[in-house]
């Protein structure tokens, strides 16, 4: 099994690290070359963290948030009642409207590799010159936080159930450029590594529980889940030192793309 599991995303778990998860959305938006976009779509809006960033920067814009998770959309509607939110799957959603900005923070890594480019092309190619498609994805599959998920998955009685579970890596910057440039006037790509100071190794587990760990724990029963998480935590303690203040520094590389039609 790869990609998202059938279980729904949890807004509450995701929001435990709201400030850290929202900073990349701010950084991505700071690179969007638009001053007064009228129409914005937040693709994979989650609990509206990214939508709030958009509506604060562009209060005049009409903003729609889309997400495949009912729990996320229910939460988003309570957070930002002035925007409009719908349950929708990016793999099939499309629009005939003129859109100024497609914005997507931490979503496209969950789509299958060939679907990612297909979605960007389906939405951006029919738009007028000047429309922007901005996305950010974690680029952390080589970090201990993620490598150790795979190692812990192979190291217990749950191994057969978790055989083959792993998100597929994102396109390299060169691949992304070559795949998007044929239907965009400009493609800007950049990377940033964040270093999040988290309270403890347990907090690292809580962080990834809201995202990358989900495909590993979702297939397990309660006993297996407990065993797997203990094994993962034991490995994290070996990989991440304790900082001078007793906290743990989690390195988190992210990849950004701003394409202009
Ligand atoms: C890590 S969250 C990002 C939420 C928000 N953009 C933010 O900046 O905090 C990823 C979101 O992508 C959504 N998602 C994953 N696959 C999707 C798909 N195929 N179509 C729509 N949403 C999807 C998930 O439900 C989840 O809410």
């Amino acid at each position: 099994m790869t990609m998202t599991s059938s279980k729904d995303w949890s807004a509450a778990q995701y929001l435990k690290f709201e400030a850290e998860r929202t900073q990349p959305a701010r950084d991505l938006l700071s690179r969007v070359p638009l001053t007064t976009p009228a129409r914005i779509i937040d693709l994979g809006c989650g609990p509206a963290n990214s939508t709030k960033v958009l509506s604060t920067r562009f209060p005049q814009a009409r903003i729609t948030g889309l997400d495949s998770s009912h729990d996320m959309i229910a939460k988003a509607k309570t957070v930002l009642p002035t925007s409009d939110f719908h349950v929708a799957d990016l793999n099939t959603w499309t629009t005939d409207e003129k859109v100024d900005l497609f914005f997507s923070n931490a979503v496209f890594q969950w789509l299958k590799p060939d679907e990612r480019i297909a979605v960007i092309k389906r939405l951006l190619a029919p738009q007028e010159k000047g429309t922007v498609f901005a996305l950010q994805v974690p680029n952390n599959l080589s970090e201990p936080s993620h490598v150790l998920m795979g190692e812990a998955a192979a190291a217990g009685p749950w191994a057969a159930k978790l055989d083959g579970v792993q998100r597929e890596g994102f396109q390299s910057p060169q691949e992304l450029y070559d795949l998007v440039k044929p239907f965009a006037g400009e493609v800007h790509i950049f990377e940033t590594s964040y270093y999040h100071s988290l309270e403890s190794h347990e907090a690292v587990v809580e962080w990834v529980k809201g995202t990358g760990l989900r495909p590993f724990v979702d297939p397990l029963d309660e006993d297996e889940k407990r065993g797997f998480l203990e094994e993962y935590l034991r490995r994290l303690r070996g990989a991440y030192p304790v900082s001078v203040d007793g906290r743990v520094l989690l390195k988190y590389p992210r990849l950004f793309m701003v394409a202009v039609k």
Side-chain angles (χ1 to χ4, degrees):
M1 190 195 77
T2 54
M3 306 287 110
T4 43
S5 86
S6 56
K7 295 194 181 172
D8 203 7
W9 285 67
S10 159
Q13 185 69 33
Y14 184 72
L15 284 168
K16 281 184 185 168
F17 298 93
E18 183 174 1
E20 290 87 350
R21 292 201 198 282
T22 307
Q23 187 58 45
R26 293 201 183 87
D27 296 343
L28 175 62
L29 188 53
S30 75
R31 299 285 293 264
V32 169
L34 296 172
T35 46
T36 50
R39 188 74 180 107
I40 300 176
I41 312 286
D42 187 6
L43 303 165
C45 60
N49 295 6
S50 41
T51 329
K52 261 192 292 180
V53 173
L54 289 163
S55 73
T56 303
R57 165 93 185 272
F58 299 126
Q60 82 296 338
R62 191 158 73 82
I63 305 177
T64 295
L66 305 174
D67 202 286
S68 52
S69 158
H70 287 80
D71 190 43
M72 289 293 194
I73 289 295
K75 179 71 186 174
K77 284 180 175 169
T78 67
V79 169
L80 209 60
T82 49
S83 292
D84 104 276
F85 292 100
H86 302 285
V87 174
D89 187 339
L90 299 187
N91 287 314
T92 50
W93 184 82
T94 192
T95 181
D96 295 332
E97 260 187 277
K98 175 182 174 333
V99 174
D100 301 297
L101 172 60
F102 293 104
F103 190 84
S104 188
N105 186 54
V107 180
F108 271 64
Q109 73 276 16
W110 293 106
L111 307 184
K112 295 204 175 87
D114 55 334
E115 289 169 350
R116 296 168 188 153
I117 306 302
V119 172
I120 300 170
K121 184 172 185 182
R122 174 157 37 81
L123 298 179
L124 188 59
Q127 292 290 330
E128 290 172 15
K129 196 166 179 297
T131 294
V132 174
F133 198 113
L135 69 77
Q136 178 279 124
V137 289
N139 199 9
N140 56 357
L141 292 184
S142 307
E143 291 303 308
S145 55
H146 283 68
V147 171
L148 297 177
M149 288 176 194
E151 289 184 10
W158 44 78
K161 269 193 190 174
L162 298 184
D163 189 27
V165 172
Q166 186 53 286
R167 205 172 73 210
E168 290 169 70
F170 207 78
Q171 278 79 358
S172 70
Q174 183 71 60
E175 288 167 338
L176 194 56
Y177 186 91
D178 287 342
L179 290 164
V180 174
K181 189 68 176 63
F183 54 90
E186 295 172 27
V187 180
H188 304 280
I189 296 174
F190 55 105
E191 289 176 317
T192 298
S193 282
Y194 297 81
Y195 287 83
H196 299 300
S197 165
L198 303 186
E199 200 180 336
S200 59
H201 292 97
E202 285 82 353
V204 178
V205 179
E206 284 306 307
W207 171 292
V208 292
K209 253 193 206 170
T211 52
L213 205 57
R214 298 177 57 252
F216 290 90
V217 294
D218 284 353
L220 304 181
D221 65 32
E222 286 310 310
D223 279 349
E224 291 169 329
K225 204 176 287 185
R226 203 172 313 112
F228 170 78
L229 290 175
E230 278 168 15
E231 181 59 30
Y232 176 55
L233 178 61
R234 193 180 69 72
R235 287 165 187 262
L236 285 178
R237 287 191 205 284
Y240 290 92
V242 175
S243 306
V244 64
D245 57 358
R247 296 172 71 89
V248 173
L249 209 50
L250 176 67
K251 180 180 176 188
Y252 211 104
R254 294 182 182 267
L255 176 69
F256 299 73
M257 183 196 76
V258 176
V260 185
K261 175 81 198 298

